[in-house]
Amino acid sequence: MTDGLVSDLRVLDMSQGIAGPLAGKLLADQGAEVVKIEPPEGDYARRRGPFPHDIPHPEKSLTFAYYNTGKKGITLNIRTPTGATLLKELVRQADILIEDLRPGELASLGLGYEALAQVNPRLILVSVTPFGQYGPYKDFAAEDITLQAISGFLYLSGDADKPPVQVALEQAQIMGGRCAAIATMLAVMERWASGRGQHVDVSIAEAVASQPPMHIVQYAYVGVVTTRGPRTPNPTDGDYLPCKDGYICLTTGGGNPWEKFAQLFQAPELLDPRFATREGRARHGAEIQRLLVERLRERGKYEVFHTAMQDRFVLGVVQTPEEVLACPHLKEREAWQEVSHPFWGTLRYPRNGFRLNGRPAGDIRPAPLLGQHNAEVFCEWVGLPRDILPRLRAEGII
């Protein structure tokens, strides 16, 4: 085991893709001993890019590499009688099992919560599925965009006069994974009192629906359906404006009077009485935007950003991934950790975004190769003799 906040936990992660593996990764990053259980052909994320030079390779998928950091890796076909028996032996020594099979599928293999609880009453079984273990949609398949759509998240993204826009980078799966990690730790805390495990049912669609709660609460309270896009036609209320080298996003937060905006943008035309009130700025938004775009055309986004922020304006600089990595603030807070791996080389991974006693929490270790820890786990945990592993591999069990 490694040192960490939850280094006393032993976790089996049988999930694939993003949501379930992210929950396991978050626990591994904080010190839990997490064993990734893959079918003999590997997690399907191993066949998903990006890959270096766009050449697919099961050990070079960045999706797999990121969402499985810090785990040990074994292969096991739980759909064989021997595989199901071996899983029960692993469960006997584990605190948590994360899985993402279709509702009822685990039980059909004789591995449902009731069966596993007989083997280990302290087991916390965490099921992470698109729609949860019950409900009219429980057997439906899903992708990230369909989960964003059905949860109401998609409806809020984009411009009001255009179709909805998917939020990038598998946000539904990520929300589901974080929800699963939180629910898992709550179940662990409950076990401190009861001494017994439980079945945690995580619906990704439900997790996403709970993330932007105000549009639901607002509708329930005043019957107003929140729309997409800027809430006003005023470009100083959250619009994006081009500079010579990228974009800034502008707000009127910070408490500065409107006169100071004229100074910031070197645009005395903004002192026109027509723009003096919020309503006036909304009425003449297109004219203000033309003025600002003209003034910003020759200015760099970082020069505008630093000048504005030092004067207590609230303005954002839109950074590319390269610029985020070079950001001096994130560097000083040690937001990234370099992780070395024999296939991927050295990559920089984002840490968890919080500090404990002023230090970054957790230590990120590389993801496992396919079946890398078969001998360690099956022989040391379960007690199998080493010479049986080749036969199990030949029979497609591991």
Side-chain angles (χ1 to χ4, degrees):
M1 290 186 183
T2 60
D3 292 333
L5 293 173
V6 293
S7 58
D8 58 335
L9 292 179
R10 182 173 269 183
V11 182
L12 304 173
D13 175 11
M14 205 165 63
S15 60
Q16 301 187 49
I18 294 178
L22 174 60
K25 165 190 163 56
L26 294 174
L27 297 174
D29 288 349
Q30 299 307 319
E33 184 181 18
V34 181
V35 175
K36 171 87 176 180
I37 303 175
E38 300 180 69
E41 68 274 18
D43 183 333
Y44 66 78
R46 290 184 180 273
R47 297 179 286 281
R48 185 172 177 174
F51 297 99
H53 311 297
D54 288 330
I55 301 173
H57 188 291
E59 299 295 0
K60 294 183 178 179
S61 160
L62 185 59
T63 300
F64 182 87
Y66 177 74
Y67 289 106
N68 292 284
T69 55
K71 304 174 186 178
K72 296 176 179 175
I74 66 171
T75 49
L76 183 64
N77 183 355
I78 64 167
R79 289 178 169 78
T80 64
T82 303
T85 299
L86 286 172
L87 180 66
K88 286 184 177 179
E89 290 304 312
L90 292 169
V91 161
R92 193 184 303 280
Q93 301 179 56
D95 296 285
I96 297 159
L97 170 62
I98 302 171
E99 65 91 18
D100 60 358
L101 299 179
R102 291 174 61 179
E105 194 173 357
L106 205 57
S108 72
L109 299 171
L111 297 168
Y113 175 68
E114 289 74 17
L116 296 179
Q118 287 184 4
V119 175
N120 179 359
R122 290 175 55 81
L123 179 74
I124 295 167
L125 174 63
V126 183
S127 297
V128 187
T129 56
F131 298 100
Q133 297 298 297
Y134 62 91
Y137 300 164
K138 70 179 176 65
D139 292 320
F140 288 4
E143 292 285 352
D144 205 80
I145 190 172
T146 62
L147 291 165
Q148 289 191 27
I150 203 163
S151 65
F153 203 73
L154 197 66
Y155 183 81
L156 300 174
S157 303
D159 294 328
D161 59 344
K162 296 176 182 173
V165 176
Q166 181 184 10
V167 180
L169 303 178
E170 312 282 0
Q171 291 304 310
Q173 298 286 335
I174 291 169
M175 292 180 201
R178 290 188 181 278
C179 182
I182 294 169
T184 300
M185 290 311 302
L186 290 173
V188 169
M189 294 171 70
E190 195 280 334
R191 193 179 65 177
W192 294 342
S194 69
R196 299 189 62 81
Q198 61 177 290
H199 187 187
V200 177
D201 173 10
V202 178
S203 156
I204 299 174
E206 195 175 332
V208 178
S210 71
Q211 297 294 323
M214 280 309 295
H215 74 297
I216 300 295
V217 177
Q218 177 175 291
Y219 178 75
Y221 188 46
V222 293
V224 171
V225 176
T226 304
T227 58
R228 294 185 294 282
R231 283 169 290 181
T232 78
N234 182 356
T236 61
D237 273 344
D239 206 354
Y240 304 96
L241 297 169
C243 297
K244 68 177 181 182
D245 55 356
Y247 285 85
I248 59 167
C249 50
L250 181 60
T251 81
T252 48
N256 275 315
W258 180 245
E259 292 76 20
K260 289 200 70 174
F261 282 81
Q263 296 173 24
L264 173 67
F265 292 106
Q266 302 164 13
E269 298 94 328
L270 292 177
L271 297 175
D272 188 309
R274 291 178 302 150
F275 309 146
T277 64
R278 190 183 185 92
E279 292 73 20
R281 293 193 286 274
R283 194 177 311 120
H284 302 287
E287 189 174 346
I288 294 175
Q289 186 174 41
R290 279 196 299 275
L291 254 172
L292 294 177
V293 169
E294 183 181 322
R295 290 297 190 279
L296 290 170
R297 186 175 296 140
E298 299 303 322
R299 296 179 69 180
K301 61 182 182 180
Y302 285 105
E303 182 265 311
V304 177
F305 170 67
H306 288 295
T307 301
M309 298 301 272
Q310 285 167 8
D311 283 342
R312 304 296 298 170
F313 288 91
V314 180
L315 184 147
V317 59
V318 181
Q319 298 197 111
T320 65
E322 182 181 21
E323 290 165 343
V324 171
L325 275 174
C327 176
H329 180 79
L330 295 174
K331 265 189 172 179
E332 184 167 321
R333 287 185 58 82
E334 301 177 78
W336 323 112
Q337 181 189 324
E338 290 195 344
V339 179
S340 296
H341 190 278
F343 277 89
W344 313 313
T346 300
L347 300 178
R348 272 183 284 180
Y349 285 81
R351 294 184 188 270
N352 291 314
F354 59 90
R355 302 288 177 277
L356 297 174
N357 286 328
R359 296 178 57 81
D363 184 41
I364 304 172
R365 291 158 287 139
L369 304 178
L370 184 61
Q372 180 180 350
H373 300 93
N374 276 353
E376 175 185 333
V377 174
F378 287 122
C379 300
E380 295 179 15
W381 282 35
V382 181
L384 293 181
R386 282 182 178 267
D387 57 7
I388 200 174
L389 297 184
R391 180 171 68 78
L392 293 177
R393 192 174 298 115
E395 293 175 353
I397 296 171
I398 65 172

